[in-house]
Amino acid sequence: MKRGLFSPILLMALTMAAGAAFGQELIPPPANNITVPETELQMEAVVIPPPRKYIVVIDPGHGGLDLGVRSSKSILEKSVALKLAFSIRSMASKYPNVNVYLTREGDLERTMLKRLELANSNRADLFLSIHTGGGFAPQTRPMEIFIAGNKNKSRAGEWGSQNWPYRKANYRLANSLSKRMAQLDSKIKINIVETGGMMLEGLAMPAAVIEPVDLSNPQDEILLEESKRLRQIASAITRGIIDFLDVKEPVDEAETSDE
Amino acid sequence: MSNDKGKDPPVDSDGSETIELGQEDMAPALGKWNIDKPPAPDAPIDPSVDSWNLESNPETEPTANYEPVPRLIPVDEIEEVGEGSHLIKNLAEHPQERGDLDYDSRPPVMETHGDQPLEEEPDEDSSSGDTRYLILMGVLILIGAIVWLVPNPGWQSSPLENTNAEMLGSGQTTAQTLETTSIKLYVPDPSLSFLITASHPVNLPPLLEKRIQIVLTELFAEKRAVNAIYPQGMLVRSVYVSKTAAIISLNGSFRKNYHTGAWTELLAVYSIVNTVVGAFDQVKKVVLLIDDMEEEMFVSHVDISGSLYFDKSLVKIVKNPKGKSKNNSGPLTGGKNG
């Protein structure tokens, strides 16, 4: 019994003695002296990713006196573009990491350079301009998605050719959008057009111009009379943006509470 | 020559031809030339009198308000001496030299005697000089007006907005200098997907600016382009070529009726650019103005704020989502004509 009691006491005493003898080593060194290998830091960053907020600038084309295309039934491009932009912002608000800004929130006239300035000065992660197709006569044209062209032909004023490093990202964005739009209508034809004529070169971020409907196409005009058509288009564009940003789908709160 | 006091200088007494000299030629010696009669000695000094003349020759001009009358010298005197203006000046300053020059043997035009006032011969037609002067001025103005109007036959209409008919009409007058050339116009294909070339024979004058204007007028009237990428009534206001840049100003009225999408607008802009750069070797780039002003956009989609270059592929169509590559370089392989 005495041995049984003695042994732990002796063990504690020995431990304390050792601690007293080598106390400096037991006290943890100051934090700034910690030298953690770089690989460990990277692993740590992967494990706990910082919250990433994506800034998306949606640009409803035209506005004010600039009507854009006018259909035979007097549907205006500037109105369609604004409605789509509002819907996209509403749908994207479900994603907490995505903040959507519009270049105009009413029937306002803004120059393209002003729109560029808004996106660049806010360091947006993506710029998407919403337009519609149209011509002088009724026509059935493929849907077009425009991305920036040759950097040597940039005419975006002082903004120059800032978009050139994002050339591949532009293609990825256009592909994401076109895939989602193709799901909307299997018969639809979509062209990705690289052009130097739309000032996209001045944007320091992945950027595109999309014309999801053609107001001189009689079929599109009929479809637009249904309010759900615009919502479908807005949904397809939103999903294309989310695909490009690789943002996870929002998790339902109910599912979170169950877990 | 004007005489502000209503008196013409006297003519030669024997009716011989006289020559009138400029006031600047005789002013230093003869002073102001407008005296009907000398004012009274106690009269106040006329402030309009040239003071420097009065002060510079106090001895030859005994009264402060005396103003001698300019002389008219017969032509033969001038010819005989050779240097008319200098002679007159010298004679006035040094009257004694007249004898040396045998001047007194000539019929005097006007006698000056020391400090005596000049006597002027009565003038039968005092307004004849004015009338002649007015007639001469009228003839000169008429000639000037004719010279100004003749090389601008289009003066009644705006010289900037020449229609094709006007240009061809003016070209008929210089038919010998016109050159018939086949020009490739870049017009949209029927599906409005690309630009294709269409050859047109055009009569072109030598002047490059005029050639460009005629080619564009032809383009804007092309049946495949009108109501496809251009509205009716597109007009070229003016063309100016600076080095290798063709600066083309379009009449901005077309924008009121231009409600199309970006694609149609792109086709329209590069239809102009490719046609002009493709047709004329001297032109490497195009600057588009609207109503002579620099604009950001052609209408509302396509940026025209800088120089525009020939785009062989127009706009490069990469692919459609089904993976079918679309190569549109075929229709745009247009060589240069000019």
Side-chain angles (χ1 to χ4, degrees), chain A residues 62 66-70 77 111-113 131-137 139 141-142 144 146 153 155-157 167 171 175 178 182 186 188-199 211, chain B residues 191-193 225 227-231 257-264 266 270 296-297 299-312 314-322 326:
Chain A
H62 310 279
D66 180 9
L67 309 179
V69 183
R70 186 208 304 259
E77 181 179 2
T111 64
M112 193 60 189
L113 283 176
H131 285 256
T132 72
F136 288 101
Q139 59 178 1
R141 291 261 320 122
E144 261 107 19
F146 299 92
K153 295 179 182 174
R155 298 188 301 278
R167 195 162 169 254
Y171 281 113
N175 272 322
S178 64
S186 59
I188 200 167
K189 291 180 180 176
I190 304 172
N191 287 333
I192 298 171
V193 182
E194 186 183 16
T195 174
M198 303 182 80
M199 284 198 186
E211 292 185 346
Chain B
S191 68
L192 295 181
S193 298
N227 287 331
I229 56 174
Y230 302 118
N257 303 317
Y258 208 104
H259 303 296
T260 73
W263 182 260
T264 307
L266 271 173
Y270 282 95
E296 188 180 289
M297 296 289 184
V299 181
S300 54
H301 295 97
V302 180
D303 174 21
I304 58 165
S305 59
S307 299
L308 302 161
Y309 295 86
F310 186 97
D311 198 336
K312 189 176 179 181
L314 177 58
V315 278
K316 189 177 176 184
I317 296 179
V318 182
K319 63 174 186 177
N320 60 31
K322 293 180 181 176
K326 221 171 179 181

Side-chain angles (χ1 to χ4, degrees), chain B:
Chain B
M1 188 176 291
S2 65
N3 186 348
D4 52 3
K5 293 293 180 184
K7 277 279 185 183
D8 273 350
V11 294
D12 197 347
S13 59
D14 62 354
S16 62
E17 188 178 355
T18 59
I19 186 167
E20 298 176 351
L21 298 177
Q23 191 172 357
E24 65 277 8
D25 293 327
M26 53 191 83
L30 299 175
K32 198 168 181 181
W33 160 27
N34 57 2
I35 298 297
D36 289 331
K37 58 179 183 179
D42 57 345
I45 295 173
D46 184 0
S48 64
V49 173
D50 202 354
S51 59
W52 70 265
N53 189 33
L54 298 173
E55 291 169 6
S56 60
N57 293 313
E59 295 177 5
T60 56
E61 305 292 340
T63 55
N65 51 7
Y66 171 67
E67 296 185 14
V69 177
R71 295 183 50 184
L72 297 184
I73 308 299
V75 172
D76 49 356
E77 277 183 35
I78 303 297
E79 289 173 351
E80 185 180 331
V81 178
E83 296 178 5
S85 60
H86 293 293
L87 171 64
I88 296 162
K89 184 176 176 179
N90 292 337
L91 285 175
E93 290 173 355
H94 309 285
Q96 70 278 10
E97 292 178 10
R98 284 186 179 188
D100 300 336
L101 296 170
D102 199 20
Y103 190 81
D104 287 335
S105 62
R106 302 287 172 187
V109 174
M110 188 184 300
E111 291 290 337
T112 60
H113 233 313
D115 51 354
Q116 293 297 316
L118 294 171
E119 290 182 7
E120 296 178 4
E121 291 184 9
D123 194 354
E124 289 179 4
D125 184 7
S126 62
S127 63
S128 63
D130 276 349
T131 309
R132 272 181 292 163
Y133 174 74
L134 289 173
I135 291 170
L136 181 65
M137 289 300 292
V139 170
L140 286 174
I141 290 169
L142 190 63
I143 291 170
I146 291 168
V147 168
W148 183 72
L149 287 176
V150 165
N152 297 291
W155 63 279
Q156 286 180 325
S157 61
S158 169
L160 295 173
E161 297 184 13
N162 288 330
T163 63
N164 195 24
E166 284 171 345
M167 284 187 290
L168 293 176
S170 63
Q172 286 170 358
T173 59
T174 56
Q176 296 164 346
T177 58
L178 289 181
E179 171 195 350
T180 303
T181 312
S182 180
I183 293 289
K184 283 182 180 174
L185 304 177
Y186 286 81
V187 296
D189 76 323
S191 68
L192 295 181
S193 298
F194 320 109
L195 293 178
I196 57 174
T197 54
S199 294
H200 276 239
V202 184
N203 289 331
L204 295 177
L207 189 66
L208 181 57
E209 281 87 350
K210 258 316 194 207
R211 292 161 76 98
I212 293 171
Q213 195 161 358
I214 288 173
V215 166
L216 285 178
T217 307
E218 194 76 17
L219 174 67
F220 295 152
E222 222 282 342
K223 60 184 179 183
R224 277 167 285 192
V226 174
N227 287 331
I229 56 174
Y230 302 118
Q232 284 186 330
M234 287 280 289
L235 284 175
V236 180
R237 284 175 66 88
S238 61
V239 177
Y240 175 69
V241 177
S242 172
K243 294 182 180 176
T244 58
I247 300 156
I248 298 165
S249 177
L250 301 174
N251 189 318
S253 60
F254 78 94
R255 296 169 114 190
K256 294 174 188 169
N257 303 317
Y258 208 104
H259 303 296
T260 73
W263 182 260
T264 307
E265 212 174 305
L266 271 173
L267 290 180
V269 169
Y270 282 95
S271 164
I272 296 170
V273 174
N274 286 2
T275 297
V276 172
V277 179
F280 303 104
D281 274 340
Q282 304 94 314
V283 179
K284 304 294 181 194
K285 56 188 176 183
V286 169
V287 176
L288 285 178
L289 307 178
I290 308 294
D291 288 335
D292 299 335
M293 302 286 286
E294 285 186 22
E295 292 281 348
E296 188 180 289
M297 296 289 184
F298 185 66
V299 181
S300 54
H301 295 97
V302 180
D303 174 21
I304 58 165
S305 59
S307 299
L308 302 161
Y309 295 86
F310 186 97
D311 198 336
K312 189 176 179 181
S313 59
L314 177 58
V315 278
K316 189 177 176 184
I317 296 179
V318 182
K319 63 174 186 177
N320 60 31
K322 293 180 181 176
K324 292 178 182 175
S325 295
K326 221 171 179 181
N327 180 12
N328 63 347
S329 60
L332 289 172
T333 52
K336 298 199 172 193
N337 303 319

Side-chain angles (χ1 to χ4, degrees), chain A residues 6 9 31-32 35 70 79 97-98 142 145 159 163 219 242:
Chain A
F6 179 75
I9 292 169
N32 56 0
T35 53
R70 186 208 304 259
S79 305
N97 290 345
V98 178
I145 300 172
W159 297 111
N163 190 256
Q219 292 173 346
I242 297 301

Side-chain angles (χ1 to χ4, degrees), chain A residues 158-210:
Chain A
E158 64 186 42
W159 297 111
S161 304
Q162 299 191 67
N163 190 256
W164 187 246
Y166 302 95
R167 195 162 169 254
K168 288 182 180 176
N170 293 336
Y171 281 113
R172 280 204 299 115
L173 172 63
N175 272 322
S176 300
L177 291 167
S178 64
K179 279 177 187 171
R180 289 294 185 176
M181 292 303 295
Q183 288 173 3
L184 189 66
D185 186 349
S186 59
K187 293 179 184 176
I188 200 167
K189 291 180 180 176
I190 304 172
N191 287 333
I192 298 171
V193 182
E194 186 183 16
T195 174
M198 303 182 80
M199 284 198 186
L200 294 173
E201 296 88 347
L203 288 160
M205 68 213 68
V209 174
I210 186 168

Side-chain angles (χ1 to χ4, degrees), chain A residues 185 218-230:
Chain A
D185 186 349
Q219 292 173 346
D220 278 5
E221 212 176 351
I222 292 168
L223 284 172
L224 281 177
E225 289 179 344
E226 304 170 17
S227 58
K228 69 174 184 182
R229 181 64 178 178
L230 274 182

